[in-house]
Amino acid sequence: MKETQALTESLYERLGGEPRIAAIVDDALDRHAANPLVAPRFRGKDLPTLKRLGTQFFCMGSGGPQEYEGRDLHTAHAGMNISEQEYMVVIDDIVAALQGQGIGPVEVNEVVAILHSLKAQMLRT
């Protein structure tokens, strides 16, 4: 497949659809839960539910047909007082998960751009 053809596919398709996105989300959340800078935020949380909702959100946001059943980002993160440093650590974990799943640099950069566009909805308010 030529590179220009590949770019006509949605990000969802280029990431490998729901099964591959679910693997990325699983990996990323496992990294968050083990990362000393953000792990305390994940202790005692229902990780299987977070992974399911994260997969829905990621699929929907990348052009997939899934419906997201969770709360909007601002509501879900309200009162958490997430710092800029924590946000960047989470992005680093997601990038590592993407790369660990063999996702190429074009798609990784697209995901990072999307994550940066969502930052204001999740940081301290």
Side-chain angles (χ1 to χ4, degrees):
M1 182 180 302
K2 293 181 182 174
E3 186 174 326
T4 54
Q5 278 181 305
L7 292 178
T8 63
E9 294 179 331
S10 70
L11 179 58
Y12 173 81
E13 293 167 322
R14 289 181 284 130
L15 290 172
E18 186 172 6
R20 193 116 171 254
I21 290 172
I24 293 164
V25 171
D26 284 355
D27 186 359
L29 281 169
D30 289 345
R31 288 172 188 272
H32 299 341
N35 188 319
L37 292 172
V38 292
R41 293 190 176 276
F42 292 89
R43 282 193 196 107
K45 301 293 185 210
D46 181 356
L47 284 181
T49 296
L50 290 176
K51 288 177 178 185
R52 180 179 57 79
L53 292 172
T55 298
Q56 288 175 357
F57 186 82
F58 200 150
C59 286
M60 182 191 73
S62 62
Q66 292 75 5
E67 300 246 346
Y68 172 61
E69 300 169 334
R71 297 176 291 167
D72 67 87
L73 291 180
H74 182 73
T75 302
H77 295 88
M80 292 179 70
N81 294 316
I82 297 169
S83 70
E84 179 89 23
Q85 180 186 22
E86 289 172 311
Y87 193 74
M88 296 310 296
V89 164
V90 165
I91 289 177
D92 290 345
D93 285 348
I94 294 168
V95 167
L98 288 160
Q99 292 171 336
Q101 293 294 321
I103 302 301
V106 170
E107 289 75 19
V108 169
N109 288 337
E110 281 184 61
V111 171
V112 169
I114 291 166
L115 292 170
H116 281 291
S117 77
L118 300 172
K119 183 166 102 173
Q121 297 177 55
M122 291 185 261
L123 291 189
R124 294 182 182 132
T125 56

